[in-house]
Amino acid sequence: MQTYTVQPAGSIRGEISVPGDKSISHRSIMFGSLARGTTTVRGFLRGEDNMATLNAFRMMGVEIADDGEVLTIAGRGLHGLREPEDVIDCGNSGTSIRLLTGLLAGQRFFSVLTGDQYLRKRPMKRVVGPLGLMGAVIHGRDGGEKAPLALTGSPLTGIDYTSPVASAQVKSALLLAGLYATGETRVTEPHRSRDHTERMLAHFGADVRVTEQGAAVSGGREMEGREIVVPGDISSAAFFMVAALIVPGSELLIRGVGVNPTRTGIIDILLAMGGDIQLLNRREVSGEPVADLLVRSSSLKGIEIGGDVVPRAIDEFPVVGIAAALAEGTTTIHDARELRVKETDRIAASAANLRQAGVSVEETPDGMIVSGRGRLDGCTVDSRGDHRIAMSMLVGGMAASGPVTVTDTACIATSFPSFLPLLEQVSRR
Ligand code: S3P
């Protein structure tokens, strides 16, 4: 099992770029494959999750060339996918399996989707249920709640669905199915989740519209290939933002980060905690807003976090826990029950790991209460196979009073294969 130990840093300094956005990378393969003609993708994230999506489309007959810099996708049009001859393995990737479930439900062929030991435990009914209302025929373990999922492609009808959870994966699965459905497919959410699917559908020329609290698509319209430039992943930048904030004497410039307002909850949270973060050189790339982030070490204070900001920062709570532990005062996180069904239960994992580092944490059903302590103790913790849990504790180790060891760090490659060298690069002793 891979294990990694970080030593406390003297400061975090320099200029970096983080790899491409994971959500946008998945969608670039999907829409590029379904469009007619060529799509090129620059800045594609070559993490394990995105490679699972790429392999799935290769299995369905899509030619995708990779020269190491640019992906070139020979799009096959809405009805050009071929039946995969084998089970599609989505690995650890929730986005791959849930979005593919929506996309494959309306094909004219049979397919089976599965994943690793963690993904096979995660809830799928949230997409299987509403897709069934559209006419999809999907079978899975536990009445369709758990993968493997077997899909018998069938004709679909648009629905007007109000989702009980703010989930971009649910919304996107239904919109993808909606491309094949008769009529309009409309999804409404309790809070707006990331909108990369809607933006990219519009960019490719699909018949999509943004609604008051969600999105709608009408089926049948072909899309055209496009050039995509994937911005840096704010969820990856978040680890470096927090590292620079919590280690005294730090100043870090993170270039080319996607700052789509449905993703910038982490910036809002850290600013509210007193973080010194400036957004410089704002611009737009492939329909997505981008900026450079200048981050300087700051005295953080505890805050209350809940409501709308939660889906806008949903992947960042493990590292918010680190910021909270290093802050002065109490941070209360609520409305974040979704964290319990991520790659692991991120409330339980964060609480257990912070306690190992000497921090007092109270778990609640939908969040946690962290008593800021201004430092972490050196410790050994386990990632539970979750990339963001692993990276968060290594960031915490930058400001700990002794070495922090994380066991089972291979999972970092799912989203951020260059994380460890980049962390070493910016750490001054
Ligand atoms: C994602 C949506 C979010 C997020 C995940 C990526 C996406 O999941 O946690 O990392 O690309 O659509 P949920 O839809 O389950 O909130």
Side-chain angles (χ1 to χ4, degrees), residues 87 97 112-115 120 124 138-141 144 146-150:
V87 172
I97 196 165
V112 182
L113 298 168
T114 191
R120 292 196 308 269
M124 297 298 146
I138 306 171
H139 297 282
R141 291 188 304 129
K146 303 228 171 76
L149 299 176

Side-chain angles (χ1 to χ4, degrees), residues 90-94 97-98 113-126 141-142 144-149 338-345 384-385:
C90 298
N92 191 244
S93 176
I97 196 165
R98 295 208 182 101
L113 298 168
T114 191
D116 70 8
Q117 55 167 318
Y118 304 102
L119 192 60
R120 292 196 308 269
K121 291 196 183 78
R122 296 183 63 189
M124 297 298 146
K125 266 276 179 64
R126 50 181 58 203
R141 291 188 304 129
D142 200 3
E145 176 67 317
K146 303 228 171 76
L149 299 176
E338 275 293 297
L339 297 177
R340 297 221 179 258
V341 292
K342 292 295 173 189
E343 284 82 331
T344 187
D345 177 341
R384 304 190 185 192

